[in-house]
Coordinates of all heavy atoms in Angstrom, one line a residue:
M1 N -0.9 95.0 -37.7 CA -1.7 94.5 -38.8 C -2.6 93.4 -38.3 O -3.8 93.3 -38.7 CB -0.7 94.0 -39.8 CG -1.4 93.5 -41.1 SD -1.2 94.8 -42.3 CE -2.2 94.2 -43.6
I2 N -2.1 92.5 -37.4 CA -2.9 91.3 -37.0 C -4.0 91.9 -36.1 O -5.1 91.3 -36.0 CB -2.0 90.3 -36.2 CG1 -1.2 89.6 -37.3 CG2 -2.9 89.3 -35.5 CD1 -0.2 88.6 -36.7
S3 N -3.8 93.0 -35.4 CA -4.8 93.5 -34.5 C -6.1 93.9 -35.2 O -7.1 94.1 -34.6 CB -4.3 94.6 -33.6 OG -3.9 95.7 -34.5
Q4 N -5.9 94.1 -36.5 CA -7.1 94.5 -37.3 C -8.0 93.4 -37.7 O -9.1 93.6 -38.2 CB -6.6 95.3 -38.6 CG -5.9 96.6 -38.3 CD -5.3 97.2 -39.6 OE1 -5.4 96.6 -40.6 NE2 -4.7 98.4 -39.4
I5 N -7.5 92.1 -37.5 CA -8.3 90.9 -37.8 C -9.3 90.7 -36.7 O -8.9 90.7 -35.5 CB -7.4 89.7 -38.0 CG1 -6.4 89.9 -39.2 CG2 -8.2 88.4 -38.2 CD1 -5.4 88.9 -39.3
P6 N -10.5 90.4 -37.0 CA -11.5 90.2 -35.9 C -11.1 89.0 -35.1 O -10.4 88.1 -35.5 CB -12.8 89.9 -36.7 CG -12.6 90.4 -38.1 CD -11.1 90.4 -38.3
A7 N -11.5 89.0 -33.8 CA -11.2 87.9 -32.9 C -11.6 86.6 -33.3 O -10.9 85.6 -33.2 CB -11.7 88.3 -31.5
D8 N -12.8 86.5 -33.9 CA -13.3 85.2 -34.4 C -12.4 84.6 -35.5 O -12.2 83.4 -35.5 CB -14.8 85.3 -34.9 CG -15.8 85.6 -33.8 OD1 -15.4 85.3 -32.6 OD2 -16.9 86.0 -34.1
T9 N -12.0 85.5 -36.4 CA -11.1 85.0 -37.5 C -9.8 84.6 -36.9 O -9.2 83.6 -37.4 CB -10.9 86.2 -38.5 OG1 -12.2 86.6 -38.9 CG2 -10.1 85.7 -39.7
R10 N -9.2 85.3 -35.9 CA -8.0 84.9 -35.3 C -8.1 83.5 -34.7 O -7.2 82.7 -34.8 CB -7.5 86.0 -34.3 CG -6.8 87.1 -35.0 CD -6.3 88.0 -33.9 NE -7.4 88.8 -33.4 CZ -7.4 89.7 -32.5 NH1 -6.3 90.0 -31.9 NH2 -8.5 90.3 -32.1
R11 N -9.2 83.3 -34.0 CA -9.4 82.1 -33.3 C -9.5 80.9 -34.3 O -8.9 79.9 -34.2 CB -10.7 82.1 -32.4 CG -10.8 80.9 -31.5 CD -12.0 81.1 -30.6 NE -12.0 82.3 -29.8 CZ -12.9 83.2 -29.8 NH1 -14.0 83.0 -30.5 NH2 -12.9 84.3 -29.1
L12 N -10.2 81.2 -35.4 CA -10.4 80.2 -36.5 C -9.0 79.9 -37.1 O -8.7 78.7 -37.4 CB -11.4 80.7 -37.5 CG -11.7 79.8 -38.7 CD1 -12.3 78.5 -38.2 CD2 -12.6 80.4 -39.7
L13 N -8.2 80.9 -37.3 CA -6.9 80.7 -37.9 C -6.0 79.9 -37.0 O -5.3 79.0 -37.4 CB -6.3 82.1 -38.2 CG -4.9 82.0 -38.9 CD1 -4.9 81.3 -40.2 CD2 -4.3 83.5 -39.0
L14 N -6.1 80.2 -35.7 CA -5.3 79.4 -34.7 C -5.7 77.9 -34.7 O -4.9 77.0 -34.7 CB -5.5 80.0 -33.3 CG -4.8 79.3 -32.2 CD1 -3.2 79.4 -32.4 CD2 -5.1 80.0 -30.9
V15 N -7.0 77.7 -34.7 CA -7.5 76.3 -34.7 C -7.1 75.6 -36.0 O -6.7 74.4 -36.0 CB -9.1 76.3 -34.5 CG1 -9.7 74.9 -34.8 CG2 -9.5 76.8 -33.1
A16 N -7.2 76.3 -37.1 CA -6.8 75.7 -38.4 C -5.3 75.3 -38.4 O -4.9 74.2 -38.9 CB -7.1 76.6 -39.6
C17 N -4.5 76.2 -37.9 CA -3.1 75.9 -37.8 C -2.8 74.7 -36.8 O -2.0 73.9 -37.1 CB -2.3 77.1 -37.3 SG -2.2 78.4 -38.5
A18 N -3.5 74.7 -35.7 CA -3.3 73.6 -34.8 C -3.7 72.2 -35.4 O -3.0 71.2 -35.2 CB -4.1 73.9 -33.5
V19 N -4.9 72.2 -36.1 CA -5.3 71.0 -36.7 C -4.4 70.6 -37.8 O -4.1 69.4 -37.9 CB -6.8 71.2 -37.3 CG1 -7.2 70.1 -38.2 CG2 -7.8 71.3 -36.1
T20 N -3.9 71.5 -38.6 CA -2.9 71.2 -39.6 C -1.6 70.6 -39.0 O -1.1 69.6 -39.6 CB -2.6 72.4 -40.5 OG1 -3.8 72.9 -41.0 CG2 -1.6 72.1 -41.6
A21 N -1.1 71.2 -37.9 CA 0.1 70.7 -37.3 C -0.1 69.3 -36.7 O 0.7 68.4 -36.9 CB 0.5 71.7 -36.2
L22 N -1.3 69.0 -36.1 CA -1.6 67.7 -35.6 C -1.7 66.7 -36.7 O -1.2 65.6 -36.6 CB -2.8 67.7 -34.8 CG -2.7 68.4 -33.4 CD1 -4.1 68.5 -32.8 CD2 -1.8 67.7 -32.5
A23 N -2.3 67.1 -37.8 CA -2.5 66.1 -38.9 C -1.1 65.8 -39.6 O -0.8 64.7 -39.9 CB -3.4 66.7 -40.0
A24 N -0.3 66.8 -39.7 CA 1.0 66.6 -40.3 C 1.9 65.7 -39.3 O 2.6 64.9 -39.8 CB 1.7 68.0 -40.5
G25 N 1.8 65.9 -38.0 CA 2.5 65.1 -37.1 C 2.0 63.7 -37.1 O 2.8 62.7 -37.1
A26 N 0.7 63.4 -37.2 CA 0.2 62.1 -37.3 C 0.6 61.4 -38.6 O 1.0 60.2 -38.6 CB -1.4 62.1 -37.2
L27 N 0.6 62.1 -39.7 CA 1.0 61.6 -41.0 C 2.5 61.2 -41.0 O 2.9 60.2 -41.5 CB 0.7 62.5 -42.1 CG 1.1 62.0 -43.5 CD1 0.3 60.8 -43.9 CD2 0.8 63.1 -44.6
G28 N 3.3 62.1 -40.4 CA 4.7 61.8 -40.2 C 5.0 60.6 -39.4 O 5.8 59.8 -39.8
A29 N 4.3 60.4 -38.3 CA 4.5 59.3 -37.5 C 4.0 58.0 -38.2 O 4.7 57.0 -38.1 CB 3.7 59.4 -36.2
F30 N 2.9 58.1 -38.9 CA 2.5 56.9 -39.7 C 3.5 56.6 -40.8 O 3.8 55.4 -41.0 CB 1.1 57.2 -40.3 CG 0.5 56.1 -41.2 CD1 0.0 55.0 -40.6 CD2 0.5 56.3 -42.5 CE1 -0.5 54.0 -41.4 CE2 0.0 55.2 -43.3 CZ -0.5 54.1 -42.7
A31 N 4.0 57.6 -41.5 CA 4.9 57.4 -42.6 C 6.3 56.8 -42.1 O 7.0 56.1 -42.8 CB 5.2 58.7 -43.3
A32 N 6.7 57.1 -40.8 CA 7.9 56.6 -40.3 C 7.9 55.2 -39.8 O 8.9 54.6 -39.5 CB 8.4 57.6 -39.3
Q33 N 6.7 54.6 -39.7 CA 6.6 53.3 -39.1 C 7.4 52.3 -40.0 O 7.4 52.4 -41.2 CB 5.2 52.8 -39.0 CG 4.4 53.5 -37.9 CD 2.9 53.0 -38.0 OE1 2.5 52.5 -39.0 NE2 2.2 53.2 -36.9
S34 N 8.0 51.3 -39.4 CA 8.7 50.3 -40.1 C 7.8 49.2 -40.5 O 7.0 48.7 -39.8 CB 9.8 49.7 -39.2 OG 10.5 48.7 -39.9
V35 N 7.8 48.8 -41.8 CA 7.0 47.8 -42.4 C 7.9 46.8 -43.1 O 8.9 47.2 -43.6 CB 5.9 48.3 -43.3 CG1 4.9 49.1 -42.5 CG2 6.5 49.2 -44.4
R36 N 7.4 45.6 -43.2 CA 8.2 44.5 -43.9 C 7.6 44.4 -45.3 O 6.4 44.3 -45.5 CB 8.1 43.2 -43.2 CG 8.7 43.2 -41.9 CD 8.6 41.9 -41.2 NE 9.3 41.9 -39.9 CZ 9.3 40.9 -39.1 NH1 8.7 39.8 -39.4 NH2 10.0 41.0 -38.0
P37 N 8.5 44.3 -46.3 CA 8.0 44.0 -47.7 C 7.5 42.5 -47.8 O 7.8 41.7 -46.9 CB 9.2 44.2 -48.6 CG 10.4 44.2 -47.7 CD 9.9 44.5 -46.3
D38 N 6.7 42.2 -48.8 CA 6.2 40.9 -49.0 C 7.3 39.9 -49.1 O 8.3 40.1 -49.8 CB 5.3 40.8 -50.2 CG 4.0 41.6 -50.1 OD1 3.6 41.8 -48.9 OD2 3.4 41.9 -51.1
C39 N 7.2 38.8 -48.4 CA 8.3 37.8 -48.3 C 7.7 36.5 -47.9 O 6.8 36.4 -47.0 CB 9.4 38.3 -47.3 SG 10.7 37.1 -47.2
S40 N 8.2 35.4 -48.5 CA 7.7 34.1 -48.1 C 8.9 33.3 -47.6 O 9.9 33.2 -48.2 CB 7.1 33.4 -49.3 OG 6.0 34.0 -49.8
Y41 N 8.7 32.6 -46.5 CA 9.6 31.8 -45.9 C 8.9 30.7 -45.0 O 7.8 31.0 -44.6 CB 10.7 32.5 -45.0 CG 10.1 33.4 -43.9 CD1 10.0 32.9 -42.6 CD2 9.6 34.6 -44.2 CE1 9.5 33.6 -41.6 CE2 9.0 35.4 -43.2 CZ 9.0 34.9 -41.9 OH 8.4 35.7 -40.9
V42 N 9.5 29.6 -44.7 CA 8.9 28.5 -44.0 C 9.6 28.3 -42.7 O 10.8 28.2 -42.6 CB 8.9 27.2 -44.9 CG1 8.2 26.1 -44.1 CG2 8.1 27.5 -46.2
V43 N 8.8 28.1 -41.6 CA 9.3 27.8 -40.3 C 8.4 26.7 -39.7 O 7.2 26.8 -39.7 CB 9.3 29.0 -39.4 CG1 9.8 28.7 -38.0 CG2 10.2 30.2 -40.0
F44 N 9.0 25.7 -39.2 CA 8.3 24.6 -38.6 C 8.5 24.7 -37.1 O 9.7 24.8 -36.6 CB 8.7 23.2 -39.1 CG 8.4 23.0 -40.5 CD1 9.3 23.1 -41.5 CD2 7.0 22.7 -40.9 CE1 9.0 22.9 -42.8 CE2 6.7 22.5 -42.2 CZ 7.7 22.6 -43.2
S45 N 7.5 24.7 -36.3 CA 7.6 24.7 -34.8 C 6.3 24.0 -34.2 O 5.2 24.4 -34.6 CB 7.7 26.1 -34.3 OG 7.8 26.2 -32.9
L46 N 6.6 23.1 -33.3 CA 5.4 22.4 -32.7 C 5.4 22.8 -31.2 O 5.1 22.0 -30.3 CB 5.6 20.9 -32.8 CG 5.6 20.4 -34.2 CD1 5.9 18.9 -34.2 CD2 4.3 20.7 -34.9
R47 N 5.6 24.1 -30.9 CA 5.7 24.5 -29.5 C 4.5 25.5 -29.2 O 3.6 25.6 -30.0 CB 7.0 25.2 -29.2 CG 8.2 24.2 -29.5 CD 9.5 24.8 -29.2 NE 10.5 23.8 -29.4 CZ 11.6 23.7 -28.8 NH1 11.9 24.6 -27.9 NH2 12.5 22.8 -29.1
S48 N 4.7 26.2 -28.1 CA 3.6 27.2 -27.8 C 3.5 28.3 -28.8 O 4.4 28.5 -29.6 CB 3.9 27.8 -26.4 OG 5.0 28.6 -26.4
E49 N 2.5 29.1 -28.7 CA 2.2 30.2 -29.7 C 3.4 31.2 -29.6 O 3.8 31.7 -30.6 CB 0.9 30.8 -29.4 CG 0.5 31.9 -30.4 CD -0.9 32.5 -30.2 OE1 -1.7 31.8 -29.5 OE2 -1.1 33.6 -30.7
A50 N 3.8 31.6 -28.4 CA 4.9 32.5 -28.2 C 6.2 32.0 -28.8 O 6.9 32.8 -29.5 CB 5.1 32.8 -26.7
E51 N 6.5 30.8 -28.7 CA 7.7 30.2 -29.2 C 7.6 30.1 -30.8 O 8.6 30.3 -31.5 CB 8.0 28.8 -28.6 CG 8.4 28.9 -27.2 CD 8.6 27.6 -26.5 OE1 7.9 26.6 -26.9 OE2 9.3 27.5 -25.5
Q52 N 6.3 29.9 -31.3 CA 6.1 29.9 -32.7 C 6.4 31.3 -33.3 O 7.0 31.4 -34.4 CB 4.7 29.4 -33.1 CG 4.5 27.9 -32.8 CD 3.1 27.5 -33.1 OE1 2.2 28.3 -33.5 NE2 2.7 26.3 -32.9
E53 N 5.9 32.3 -32.6 CA 6.2 33.7 -33.1 C 7.6 34.0 -33.1 O 8.1 34.6 -34.0 CB 5.4 34.7 -32.2 CG 3.9 34.6 -32.4 CD 3.1 35.5 -31.5 OE1 3.7 36.3 -30.8 OE2 1.9 35.4 -31.5
Q54 N 8.4 33.5 -32.0 CA 9.8 33.8 -32.0 C 10.5 33.0 -33.1 O 11.4 33.6 -33.7 CB 10.4 33.3 -30.6 CG 10.0 34.2 -29.5 CD 10.4 33.6 -28.1 OE1 10.9 32.5 -28.1 NE2 10.2 34.4 -27.1
A55 N 10.1 31.8 -33.4 CA 10.7 31.0 -34.5 C 10.4 31.7 -35.8 O 11.3 31.8 -36.7 CB 10.1 29.6 -34.5
A56 N 9.2 32.3 -36.0 CA 8.8 33.0 -37.2 C 9.7 34.2 -37.4 O 10.2 34.6 -38.5 CB 7.4 33.3 -37.3
E57 N 9.9 35.0 -36.3 CA 10.7 36.2 -36.3 C 12.2 35.8 -36.7 O 12.8 36.4 -37.5 CB 10.7 36.8 -34.9 CG 11.4 38.2 -34.9 CD 10.7 39.3 -35.6 OE1 9.5 39.1 -36.0 OE2 11.3 40.3 -35.9
R58 N 12.7 34.7 -36.0 CA 14.1 34.3 -36.3 C 14.2 33.9 -37.8 O 15.1 34.2 -38.5 CB 14.4 33.1 -35.4 CG 15.5 33.3 -34.5 CD 16.0 32.1 -33.7 NE 15.1 30.9 -33.6 CZ 14.2 30.8 -32.7 NH1 14.0 31.7 -31.8 NH2 13.4 29.7 -32.7
G59 N 13.1 33.1 -38.3 CA 13.1 32.7 -39.7 C 13.1 33.9 -40.7 O 13.8 33.9 -41.7
Y60 N 12.4 34.9 -40.3 CA 12.4 36.1 -41.2 C 13.8 36.8 -41.2 O 14.3 37.1 -42.3 CB 11.4 37.2 -40.6 CG 11.5 38.5 -41.4 CD1 11.0 38.6 -42.7 CD2 12.1 39.6 -40.8 CE1 11.1 39.8 -43.3 CE2 12.2 40.8 -41.4 CZ 11.7 40.9 -42.7 OH 11.9 42.1 -43.4
W61 N 14.4 36.9 -40.1 CA 15.7 37.6 -40.1 C 16.8 36.7 -40.7 O 17.7 37.2 -41.3 CB 16.1 38.0 -38.6 CG 15.3 39.2 -38.2 CD1 14.3 39.2 -37.3 CD2 15.4 40.5 -38.8 NE1 13.8 40.5 -37.2 CE2 14.4 41.3 -38.1 CE3 16.2 41.1 -39.7 CZ2 14.2 42.6 -38.4 CZ3 16.0 42.4 -40.0 CH2 15.0 43.2 -39.4
E62 N 16.6 35.4 -40.6 CA 17.5 34.5 -41.4 C 17.3 34.6 -42.9 O 18.3 34.6 -43.6 CB 17.3 33.0 -40.9 CG 17.8 32.7 -39.6 CD 17.4 31.3 -39.1 OE1 16.8 30.6 -39.9 OE2 17.7 31.0 -37.9
A63 N 16.1 34.8 -43.3 CA 15.8 35.0 -44.7 C 16.4 36.4 -45.2 O 16.9 36.5 -46.3 CB 14.3 35.0 -45.0
V64 N 16.3 37.4 -44.3 CA 16.9 38.7 -44.7 C 18.4 38.5 -44.8 O 19.0 39.1 -45.7 CB 16.5 39.7 -43.6 CG1 17.3 41.0 -43.8 CG2 15.0 40.1 -43.7
A65 N 19.0 37.9 -43.8 CA 20.5 37.7 -43.8 C 21.0 36.9 -45.0 O 22.0 37.2 -45.6 CB 20.9 37.0 -42.5
S66 N 20.2 36.0 -45.5 CA 20.6 35.2 -46.7 C 20.2 35.9 -48.0 O 20.6 35.4 -49.1 CB 19.9 33.8 -46.6 OG 18.5 33.9 -46.8
G67 N 19.5 37.0 -47.9 CA 19.2 37.7 -49.2 C 17.9 37.3 -49.8 O 17.5 37.8 -50.9
R68 N 17.1 36.4 -49.2 CA 15.9 35.9 -49.8 C 14.7 36.9 -49.6 O 13.8 36.9 -50.3 CB 15.5 34.6 -49.3 CG 16.4 33.5 -49.7 CD 16.0 32.1 -49.1 NE 16.4 32.2 -47.7 CZ 15.9 31.5 -46.8 NH1 15.0 30.6 -47.0 NH2 16.3 31.6 -45.5
C69 N 14.9 37.8 -48.5 CA 13.8 38.8 -48.2 C 14.5 40.1 -48.0 O 15.7 40.2 -47.6 CB 13.1 38.4 -46.9 SG 12.2 36.9 -47.0
A70 N 13.8 41.1 -48.4 CA 14.3 42.5 -48.2 C 14.1 42.9 -46.7 O 13.1 42.5 -46.1 CB 13.6 43.5 -49.1
P71 N 15.0 43.7 -46.2 CA 14.8 44.1 -44.8 C 13.6 45.1 -44.7 O 13.2 45.7 -45.7 CB 16.1 44.8 -44.4 CG 16.7 45.2 -45.7 CD 16.2 44.2 -46.7
P72 N 13.1 45.4 -43.5 CA 12.1 46.3 -43.3 C 12.5 47.7 -43.7 O 13.7 48.1 -43.6 CB 11.7 46.3 -41.8 CG 12.5 45.2 -41.2 CD 13.5 44.7 -42.2
H73 N 11.6 48.5 -44.1 CA 11.8 49.9 -44.5 C 10.8 50.8 -43.9 O 9.7 50.3 -43.4 CB 11.7 50.1 -46.0 CG 12.6 49.3 -46.9 ND1 14.0 49.5 -46.8 CD2 12.4 48.3 -47.7 CE1 14.6 48.7 -47.7 NE2 13.7 47.9 -48.2
A74 N 11.0 52.1 -43.9 CA 10.0 53.0 -43.4 C 8.8 53.0 -44.4 O 9.0 52.8 -45.6 CB 10.6 54.5 -43.3
R75 N 7.6 53.2 -43.9 CA 6.4 53.1 -44.7 C 6.5 54.0 -45.9 O 6.1 53.7 -47.0 CB 5.2 53.3 -43.9 CG 3.9 53.2 -44.6 CD 2.7 53.5 -43.7 NE 2.7 52.7 -42.5 CZ 2.2 51.5 -42.3 NH1 1.6 50.9 -43.3 NH2 2.2 50.9 -41.1
W76 N 7.0 55.2 -45.8 CA 7.0 56.2 -46.8 C 7.8 55.8 -48.0 O 7.6 56.2 -49.1 CB 7.4 57.6 -46.3 CG 8.9 57.6 -45.9 CD1 9.3 57.4 -44.7 CD2 10.0 57.9 -46.7 NE1 10.7 57.5 -44.6 CE2 11.1 57.8 -45.9 CE3 10.2 58.1 -48.1 CZ2 12.4 58.0 -46.4 CZ3 11.4 58.3 -48.6 CH2 12.6 58.3 -47.7
Q77 N 8.8 54.9 -47.8 CA 9.6 54.5 -48.9 C 8.8 53.7 -49.9 O 9.2 53.6 -51.1 CB 10.8 53.7 -48.4 CG 11.8 54.6 -47.7 CD 13.0 53.8 -47.1 OE1 12.9 52.6 -46.9 NE2 14.1 54.5 -46.9
F78 N 7.8 53.0 -49.5 CA 6.9 52.2 -50.4 C 6.0 53.1 -51.2 O 5.4 52.8 -52.2 CB 6.1 51.2 -49.7 CG 7.0 50.1 -49.1 CD1 7.2 50.0 -47.7 CD2 7.6 49.2 -49.9 CE1 8.0 49.0 -47.2 CE2 8.4 48.2 -49.4 CZ 8.5 48.1 -48.0
W79 N 5.8 54.4 -50.7 CA 4.9 55.3 -51.4 C 5.5 55.8 -52.7 O 4.8 56.3 -53.6 CB 4.5 56.5 -50.5 CG 3.7 56.1 -49.3 CD1 3.1 54.9 -49.1 CD2 3.5 56.9 -48.2 NE1 2.5 54.9 -47.8 CE2 2.7 56.1 -47.3 CE3 3.8 58.2 -47.8 CZ2 2.3 56.6 -46.0 CZ3 3.4 58.6 -46.5 CH2 2.6 57.9 -45.7
R80 N 6.8 55.7 -52.8 CA 7.5 56.2 -54.0 C 7.3 55.4 -55.2 O 7.5 55.8 -56.3 CB 9.0 56.3 -53.7 CG 9.3 57.3 -52.6 CD 10.8 57.5 -52.4 NE 11.3 56.1 -52.1 CZ 12.6 55.9 -52.0 NH1 13.5 56.8 -52.2 NH2 13.1 54.7 -51.6
G81 N 6.8 54.2 -55.0 CA 6.5 53.3 -56.1 C 7.6 52.3 -56.5 O 8.5 52.0 -55.9

């Protein structure tokens, strides 16, 4: 049955399937990324930029542990509303 389909149409169908699979894979990878919900917390640090980022990261996880901030979720979970 497939042999009755012209070669150009088969090639187009193969390309369409490949593009669809790549797009679905890219969307799946994007949706699975971990993101942090909106959260406010304060961290004071008078050190280098790298140490400030570490202090901010520690502050975020302390806020999560204390229940003031929600933990990170997969991106697709926010799409549900």
Side-chain angles (χ1 to χ4, degrees):
M1 184 104 189
I2 291 179
S3 62
Q4 297 174 355
I5 298 174
D8 291 341
T9 304
R10 278 185 285 184
R11 191 175 308 122
L12 181 62
L13 181 61
L14 178 63
V15 168
C17 288
V19 168
T20 301
L22 288 173
L27 180 62
F30 178 74
Q33 287 178 343
S34 181
V35 293
R36 295 179 178 180
D38 291 338
C39 177
S40 295
Y41 57 95
V42 177
V43 176
F44 294 104
S45 178
L46 299 174
R47 299 181 182 210
S48 70
E49 185 175 340
E51 290 172 334
Q52 288 177 3
E53 289 176 9
Q54 290 174 352
E57 186 72 14
R58 244 186 342 270
Y60 171 74
W61 286 109
E62 289 173 4
V64 168
S66 69
R68 291 177 289 159
C69 296
H73 299 294
R75 185 181 305 274
W76 66 267
Q77 290 178 338
F78 294 108
W79 295 346
R80 296 183 300 173

